[in-house]
Amino acid sequence: MLQLLKLCHQVTPIGGTCIDLYNGSGTTGIACAKEGFSYIGIEMNKKYCDISIGRINEALRQFDCDITCTLETLAYSANDPEFNVTNPAA
């Protein structure tokens, strides 16, 4: 995670937003929560979205943040039939 934190600081301005095109299990999201960056994770596999939501929310609780991560706050693949979420930005 130390390498992710270094990368976040190198490419993201203080208070900025980090975007991970391959969210996976949410490790980058946890690093961003720890450092106070906003985070957008994109993942096409619902299983990994569910895993990352749980991991990121646990990190947010540990860091006493007043926000939570939900599926609606993660980007998703419209081609994946497991996703039955409408795009909140539409």
Side-chain angles (χ1 to χ4, degrees):
M1 186 171 310
L2 184 58
Q3 294 299 328
L4 282 171
L5 293 174
K6 286 182 181 179
L7 180 62
C8 287
H9 282 285
Q10 289 176 349
V11 300
T12 308
I14 295 172
T17 301
C18 185
I19 298 173
D20 185 353
L21 301 177
Y22 303 96
N23 182 68
S25 62
T27 302
T28 304
I30 293 168
C32 288
K34 181 175 183 178
E35 296 297 306
F37 291 109
S38 296
Y39 175 71
I40 298 171
I42 300 172
E43 177 57 56
M44 62 186 298
N45 185 314
K46 185 177 184 310
K47 174 184 172 184
Y48 284 106
C49 278
D50 293 339
I51 291 168
S52 67
I53 288 168
R55 290 186 71 218
I56 293 169
N57 280 332
E58 179 59 30
L60 290 169
R61 279 190 293 277
Q62 288 178 5
F63 305 135
D64 287 329
C65 294
D66 292 333
I67 57 174
T68 56
C69 176
T70 65
L71 182 58
E72 289 81 15
T73 61
L74 292 174
Y76 64 94
S77 170
N79 296 325
D80 188 339
E82 289 187 43
F83 283 100
N84 294 316
V85 178
T86 57
N87 186 345

